[in-house]
């Protein structure tokens, strides 16, 4: 593993947080912002809301996450005994407001046009559940290519590719994201679009499902 270049990390942090705090869209290395939200590896870690600035670690207690967050105003982030403390209070990484500063004016044509691969936890009872991309519009389960597989990989792939073609024709950007399921023998494949395209893309999924016969493809419900 290559050692982390501290100077480079600080430069990236300054460039991207300066843009975020001034409402400008920018992408530097593994971090990007649309002027309203800030993402690290497509996971949202900060957001300007109407009532102030909110931060999250998005479930990743990494050195880079801490580096980015510490560059934001009113964020004091420390670690002790493996636990993170935000402004002196134990923090589980969930969204927390750090100030009530007015949010900067951002280009509304850009806001929501970048990919956000943040995931949410979907409980199916007790401690069981799975993570699902917040901005997924459709999905298909995949249980491999065994003779008795209920969700064959080739069927899942073909149906997702057909939906990708529909989105491509409509010029809607999309990414394929694969997540673990609650079943060790199954994974979930999802098509994810930028937030501003979610409603239109889900409507297109409904139309597609109503016009063709599918076996595995399903619509993902709204956020």
């Amino acid at each position: 593993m290559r050692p982390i270049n501290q100077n480079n990390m600080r430069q990236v942090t300054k460039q991207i947080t300066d843009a975020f705090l001034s409402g400008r869209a920018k992408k530097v290395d593994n971090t990007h912002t649309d002027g309203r939200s800030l993402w690290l590896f497509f996971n949202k870690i900060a957001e300007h809301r109407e009532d102030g600035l909110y931060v999250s670690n998005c479930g990743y207690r990494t050195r880079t996450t801490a580096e980015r967050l510490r560059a934001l105003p009113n964020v004091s982030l420390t670690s002790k005994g493996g636990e993170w403390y935000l402004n002196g209070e134990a923090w589980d990484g969930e969204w927390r407001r750090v100030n009530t500063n007015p949010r900067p004016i951002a280009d509304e044509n850009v806001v929501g046009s970048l990919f956000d691969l943040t995931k949410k936890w979907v409980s199916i009872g007790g401690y069981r559940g799975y993570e699902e991309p917040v901005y997924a519009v459709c999905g298909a389960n995949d249980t491999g290519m065994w003779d008795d597989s209920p969700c064959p990989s080739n069927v899942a792939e073909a149906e997702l590719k057909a939906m990708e073609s529909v989105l491509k024709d409509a010029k809607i950007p999309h990414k394929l994201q694969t997540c673990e399921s609650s079943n060790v023998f199954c994974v979930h494949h999802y098509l994810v679009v930028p937030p501003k395209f979610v409603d239109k893309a889900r409507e297109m999924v409904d139309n597609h499902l109503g016009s063709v016969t599918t076996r595995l493809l399903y619509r993902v419900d709204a956020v």
Side-chain angles (χ1 to χ4, degrees):
M1 180 182 296
R2 293 184 301 174
I4 296 176
N5 186 315
Q6 292 293 334
N7 289 332
N8 182 63
M9 179 182 284
R10 284 192 288 268
Q11 290 174 7
V12 170
T13 296
K14 178 170 174 44
Q15 291 177 46
I16 202 71
T17 54
D18 282 353
F20 170 62
L21 294 173
S22 62
R24 292 182 291 110
K26 192 175 185 64
K27 184 181 187 303
V28 185
D29 197 21
N30 53 26
T31 314
H32 67 279
T33 176
D34 61 2
R36 185 67 53 77
S37 301
L38 178 65
W39 291 273
L40 174 62
F41 291 113
F42 297 105
N43 295 297
K44 189 186 294 185
I45 60 172
E47 182 176 48
H48 295 294
R49 300 182 187 176
E50 292 186 358
D51 59 342
L53 175 62
Y54 285 74
V55 298
S56 165
N57 68 17
C58 208
Y60 297 96
R61 296 181 183 179
T62 67
R63 189 174 182 177
T64 306
T65 303
E67 164 80 15
R68 302 289 190 267
L69 293 178
R70 287 185 180 119
L72 300 177
N74 306 109
V75 172
S76 173
L77 187 60
T78 59
S79 176
K80 182 178 179 181
E83 297 297 323
W84 278 20
Y85 290 80
L86 176 61
N87 296 335
E89 297 182 3
W91 185 42
D92 60 4
E94 293 298 313
W95 287 103
R96 184 178 295 182
R97 186 172 65 180
V98 294
N99 66 41
T100 56
N101 296 345
R103 67 185 184 185
I105 297 174
D107 185 346
E108 294 299 331
N109 292 318
V110 176
V111 171
S113 65
L114 304 180
F115 281 103
D116 181 346
L117 302 187
T118 303
K119 296 186 287 290
K120 64 181 179 181
W121 178 254
V122 179
S123 175
I124 57 175
Y127 294 102
R128 299 182 67 235
Y130 55 90
E131 288 188 319
E132 180 179 87
V134 173
Y135 297 105
V137 296
C138 64
N141 295 346
D142 181 346
T143 53
M145 290 297 290
W146 306 100
D147 291 341
D148 59 350
S149 175
C151 305
S153 302
N154 61 335
V155 177
E157 180 181 359
E159 294 187 0
L160 286 166
K161 281 188 176 297
M163 190 63 227
E164 281 189 278
S165 294
V166 173
L167 295 174
K168 184 177 180 180
D169 289 344
K171 295 182 170 51
I172 295 180
H174 54 277
K175 285 182 180 290
L176 179 66
Q177 188 173 13
T178 299
C179 302
E180 295 180 355
S181 74
S182 61
N183 183 341
V184 68
F185 300 105
C186 177
V187 296
H188 293 161
H189 300 304
Y190 298 98
L191 290 181
V192 184
V193 302
K196 71 183 300 181
F197 297 103
V198 165
D199 291 341
K200 181 179 179 181
R202 284 179 174 150
E203 181 180 349
M204 296 183 73
V205 171
D206 287 336
N207 292 337
H208 180 71
L209 290 174
S211 62
V212 300
T213 300
T214 61
R215 175 177 170 185
L216 302 178
L217 190 74
Y218 59 89
R219 179 188 187 274
V220 175
D221 291 332
V223 178

